Amino acid sequence: SEKEYSLIIIGSGAAGLSAAAAAAETGLKDILVIEKAPFIGGHTALSGGSVNAVDPEMQLRQGIKDSPELWEQQILETGAYRNDPALVRTLVSNAYPTFQWLSGLGIPFQEEVFEAWSGKHKRAHSAGSKRNGMLYLRTLNRHARDLGVQMLLNTKAERLIFEDGRVQGISVIDKNKRQRLIRAKAVLIATGGFTGNISMRMRYDQRLDGNIRSTADPNGTGYDSASGDGILMAETIGAKTVDMDAIQLIPLQGGRLLDYVGGDIFLDSSGKRFVDESAEVRFVSEAFLNLPDRVMWVVTDAQSTKNSGLEAKLLTGVVDTAGSIQELADKMGVDRAVLKYTIDRYNKFAEQGRDEDFGKTTFTQKIEKPPFYFGKERFDAHFSCGGLKINPSAQVLDQADRPIKNLYAAGEVTGGIHGADRLGGDSLISCFVFGRIAGLKIAEELNRR
Ligand code: ADP
């Protein structure tokens, strides 16, 4: 008969590899990671790599005041209090030990603590270079393999084996396109989010049709990354999901000129404002999705603080310039009088510090000094805040909130930590924290048997 593994981990991103490494560190043998792509890493490989943690050392050195309680409060507020408080507590109290664990494995975290984009506080740590996701993955992967963890690439999990009221393994399509059953004492689902699965996300938000791209699959060529497989498999055996409609959209990939600090205005295809530009991204993306044609212009002028990508955006034509409001209107293809009215009215609001139309409160300038800069913005589906419901031990729960025997989940596939929206810098650390918790919990259970 075929070999029985102790633990099968589905997915080789941050969550899956953390679990593999943590479980193997306890001495647990026969751990198998399966990955449907020909390479490891999933969405994590594309991550910038900011990792939030309240750390008493580096933050203190920079004079930054912080506490787990403050972080917790910000997570709940950002999540519109839809979060599971027990999971939030688990995240904030395990982040620093997990960060130290990663440092100990050789991740060269830099001394400087910073505020991640939309992170709301200076508590992000990073290993420096641009695409740090890959660095974490390589380190965890090497460590796990050194400890004997096995890995199968090009192997797709299709179904959970659920017999006698408990999970007993999985059914896969192997690299030769053959179906195989692999038995295991425990299964961890770490398959990532579902932002790349158009029909699935439209089930929860009709507006997220094929015109919206996924950041998990930026070129649209991917190995159907972020496809929601793990959620679908677990739902089939009765798992519960939460906050599935909370799909975060971000504008990072488009023509964004500034950092929403108050210098830009956002206009629709007729040249009118439609939102408070300084509102949280969640509200801006919501207003964007509600535009009938989803055309959003970002307009600013010579005085504004441009973000670093501007040169490249001008070269590639994502951003253009205009010498006057009239030329701007012509280049945007909007009515000159409408645009002039919009900008005059906005400048009046900026001067009085009060926006009578959309309630903007942060103004850093008027839009008046040529050249004017403008570009079309695009929002991409970035992160599934919702997913499988888990408890603080990373056990997957059924409709009655009872753990499904032998089934665990960690990472973007889970819901409940972030609620309606998440702080920048919180996603990777959640993968590391709950992946590690899952690995340790499973090992504890199995080593006891
Ligand atoms: P997280 O950040 O939560 O760890 P990632 O997106 O980084 O999630 O990683 C998830 C990984 O799981 C990806 O590499 C993806 O290809 C893999 N995966 C998704 N569905 C399956 C499946 N059905 N079988 C095997 N691997 C899968």
Side-chain angles (χ1 to χ4, degrees):
S1 77
E2 274 212 48
K3 173 183 174 95
E4 187 194 37
Y5 286 88
S6 58
L7 166 61
I8 294 174
I9 295 167
I10 312 173
S12 65
L17 294 184
S18 302
E25 279 182 358
T26 72
L28 190 70
K29 298 280 175 271
D30 299 321
I31 300 171
L32 176 67
V33 177
I34 71 153
E35 168 55 58
K36 68 178 176 180
F39 40 77
I40 65 164
H43 199 190
T44 302
L46 303 172
S47 162
S50 306
V51 171
N52 281 344
V54 176
D55 93 68
E57 229 179 278
M58 298 189 208
Q59 283 178 312
L60 195 70
R61 216 177 296 141
Q62 283 171 243
I64 302 160
K65 281 217 180 89
D66 200 7
S67 67
E69 292 73 30
L70 175 63
W71 187 16
E72 189 176 337
Q73 186 49 38
Q74 289 178 322
I75 293 173
L76 294 171
E77 247 166 48
T78 304
Y81 295 92
R82 280 166 66 180
N83 330 51
D84 178 338
L87 295 180
V88 178
R89 181 64 56 85
T90 305
L91 171 64
V92 302
S93 55
N94 283 280
Y96 188 57
T98 303
F99 165 79
Q100 287 180 305
W101 177 63
L102 292 168
S103 296
L105 296 182
I107 304 283
F109 283 108
Q110 294 190 329
E111 291 292 296
E112 192 84 6
V113 180
F114 60 98
E115 180 175 329
W117 184 73
S118 81
K120 292 190 183 160
H121 201 72
K122 283 191 181 168
R123 63 169 74 91
H125 304 70
S126 163
S129 65
K130 255 197 151 173
R131 290 258 160 106
N132 286 310
M134 215 46 230
L135 183 62
Y136 300 118
L137 291 164
R138 274 200 299 269
T139 304
L140 287 166
N141 187 38
R142 197 182 321 111
H143 183 53
R145 281 177 182 261
D146 286 348
L147 295 171
V149 171
Q150 298 165 61
M151 191 171 304
L152 291 175
L153 301 176
N154 292 301
T155 305
K156 181 180 180 184
E158 290 217 307
R159 192 169 56 78
L160 298 164
I161 304 174
F162 187 63
E163 288 164 2
D164 304 326
R166 59 204 165 90
V167 171
Q168 309 212 19
I170 60 175
S171 168
V172 304
I173 301 292
D174 71 13
K175 63 176 192 304
N176 303 315
K177 304 270 170 281
R178 276 197 292 267
Q179 194 189 338
R180 263 179 69 194
L181 299 186
I182 312 180
R183 301 252 158 206
K185 296 195 175 78
V187 172
L188 171 71
I189 299 176
T191 51
F194 62 95
T195 56
N197 185 333
I198 296 167
S199 66
M200 188 168 171
R201 69 192 195 201
M202 282 182 76
R203 215 174 298 147
Y204 301 97
D205 189 337
Q206 281 282 325
R207 301 167 303 178
L208 302 182
D209 57 28
N211 295 314
I212 304 285
R213 304 187 213 187
S214 163
T215 61
D217 187 12
N219 306 315
T221 59
Y223 294 84
D224 61 276
S225 188
S227 48
D229 297 11
I231 296 176
L232 299 172
M233 274 185 269
E235 275 187 316
T236 306
I237 65 159
K240 188 171 179 174
T241 57
V242 289
D243 298 331
M244 292 292 284
D245 61 316
I247 297 166
Q248 183 195 38
L249 275 73
I250 57 166
L252 288 175
Q253 322 275 320
R256 191 170 66 101
L257 291 168
L258 298 174
D259 296 302
Y260 295 144
V261 289
D264 320 5
I265 56 172
F266 303 159
L267 306 179
D268 66 15
S269 59
S270 66
K272 295 184 184 128
R273 288 177 70 224
F274 62 95
V275 71
D276 165 9
E277 294 87 350
S278 62
E280 278 183 33
V281 185
R282 179 159 71 99
F283 298 106
V284 178
S285 65
E286 187 66 25
F288 166 81
L289 285 177
N290 289 335
L291 292 172
D293 56 4
R294 297 201 195 139
V295 172
M296 165 175 160
W297 294 101
V298 180
V299 175
T300 190
D301 76 356
Q303 309 168 82
S304 68
T305 332
K306 318 294 186 298
N307 79 18
S308 55
L310 183 66
E311 283 303 313
K313 284 174 181 173
L314 284 167
L315 277 174
T316 55
V318 175
V319 171
D320 199 354
T321 60
S324 66
I325 299 290
Q326 285 188 352
E327 189 190 344
L328 180 63
D330 294 348
K331 283 190 166 177
M332 286 169 61
V334 304
D335 189 276
R336 287 180 175 184
V338 170
L339 186 65
K340 184 172 181 332
Y341 177 82
T342 300
I343 292 181
D344 286 347
R345 188 167 169 81
Y346 178 81
N347 287 342
K348 185 188 104 181
F349 295 160
E351 194 159 308
Q352 69 192 22
R354 186 166 43 86
D355 174 0
E356 294 164 22
D357 294 338
F358 299 100
K360 181 169 180 167
T361 49
T362 319
F363 298 93
T364 54
Q365 63 168 89
K366 295 189 204 173
I367 308 291
E368 58 187 356
K369 189 163 185 275
F372 300 97
Y373 293 83
F374 67 103
K376 260 186 201 162
E377 185 54 287
R378 192 183 95 211
F379 280 86
D380 293 358
H382 178 50
F383 189 86
S384 329
C385 295
L388 295 175
K389 182 163 190 197
I390 55 167
N391 65 17
S393 302
Q395 294 176 292
V396 177
L397 303 181
D398 69 12
Q399 301 296 330
D401 290 335
R402 287 172 311 221
I404 296 177
K405 289 201 180 71
N406 306 341
L407 186 63
Y408 298 77
E412 195 180 339
V413 74
T414 67
I417 301 165
H418 309 289
D421 193 14
R422 72 175 179 86
L423 289 178
D426 273 7
S427 60
L428 261 189
I429 190 66
S430 302
C431 293
F432 294 135
V433 163
F434 285 91
R436 183 160 171 259
I437 286 176
L440 294 175
K441 171 76 181 170
I442 293 164
E444 183 194 306
E445 290 277 319
L446 297 183
N447 288 332
R448 198 168 41 209
R449 280 187 204 170

